[in-house]
């Protein structure tokens, strides 16, 4: 497992995904931090979002736990920073990497899964008044992610 984590770290440092950086906290390969720049054409555009990544001892059999440290207004991310994303739960596969997970989180920012919300009130707003949802998400991005 340590060899896999070292390889993933090397890969992400040599070829980081667009607008993403990640690496261990204090040289601890089981605790990483990531920085994600909000994708274009989203209310999160240009926001700087920090995430903590906790890697279990039985990784890659079990998925890492990824938590947003930066506040974000999103139907699949709650106020504690927990993320509702199928590949972090029941659709996890050992073939996935931390880099791929971070790219999937970027995709989630671009395309929320309102059919499986972690915050139903935000999903409801998204469905009923998308303009207000977008404005609120932009405001939160300006307040907390800049």
């Amino acid at each position: 497992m340590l060899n896999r984590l070292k390889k993933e770290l090397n890969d992400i440092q040599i070829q980081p995904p667009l607008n993403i950086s990640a690496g261990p906290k204090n040289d601890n390969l089981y605790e990483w931090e990531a920085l994600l720049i909000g994708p274009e054409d989203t209310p999160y555009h240009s926001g700087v979002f920090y995430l903590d990544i906790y890697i279990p001892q039985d990784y890659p059999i079990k998925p890492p736990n990824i938590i947003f440290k930066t506040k974000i207004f999103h139907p699949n991310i709650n106020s504690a920073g927990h993320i509702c994303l199928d590949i972090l739960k029941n659709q996890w596969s050992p073939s996935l990497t931390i880099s791929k997970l971070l790219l999937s989180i970027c995709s989630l920012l671009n395309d929320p899964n309102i059919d499986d919300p972690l915050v139903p009130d935000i999903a409801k707003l998204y469905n009923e008044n998308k303009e207000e949802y977008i404005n609120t998400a932009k405001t939160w991005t300006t307040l907390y992610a800049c």
Side-chain angles (χ1 to χ4, degrees):
M1 196 256 295
L2 275 175
N3 286 341
R4 160 121 178 208
L5 283 174
K6 287 177 184 175
K7 180 180 179 343
E8 285 193 40
L9 175 59
N10 188 52
D11 291 348
I12 207 167
Q13 288 175 335
I14 290 173
Q15 251 187 327
L18 186 64
N19 296 326
I20 295 172
S21 68
K25 281 187 189 179
N26 304 316
D27 296 323
N28 179 353
L29 278 176
Y30 296 98
E31 286 187 26
W32 289 29
E33 53 192 354
L35 182 145
L36 186 148
I37 306 294
E40 283 188 45
D41 300 324
T42 73
Y44 313 103
H45 177 64
S46 295
V48 178
F49 298 92
Y50 293 92
L51 298 88
D52 280 341
I53 303 169
Y54 301 97
I55 301 165
Q57 295 289 328
D58 49 0
Y59 177 83
I61 303 303
K62 300 267 192 212
N65 184 21
I66 302 178
I67 298 171
F68 268 80
K69 300 310 290 178
T70 306
K71 285 182 73 158
I72 185 168
F73 188 81
H74 193 282
N76 304 110
I77 304 164
N78 70 14
S79 61
H82 296 106
I83 306 164
C84 182
L85 183 62
D86 59 357
I87 61 172
L88 288 172
K89 301 182 298 182
N90 58 339
Q91 294 299 311
W92 169 252
S93 166
S95 65
L96 292 169
T97 63
I98 293 168
S99 180
K100 289 177 185 172
L101 287 173
L102 293 169
L103 284 170
S104 294
I105 291 168
C106 279
S107 292
L108 187 67
L109 295 183
N110 193 42
D111 188 21
N113 182 358
I114 54 173
D115 295 328
D116 186 22
L118 193 54
V119 188
D121 290 345
I122 297 176
K124 183 178 180 194
L125 182 63
Y126 183 95
N127 277 328
E128 294 177 359
N129 190 339
K130 194 167 181 181
E131 185 177 334
E132 186 179 339
Y133 163 82
I134 289 170
N135 288 336
T136 303
K138 283 181 179 179
T139 298
W140 279 43
T141 298
T142 301
L143 286 173
Y144 303 113
C146 287

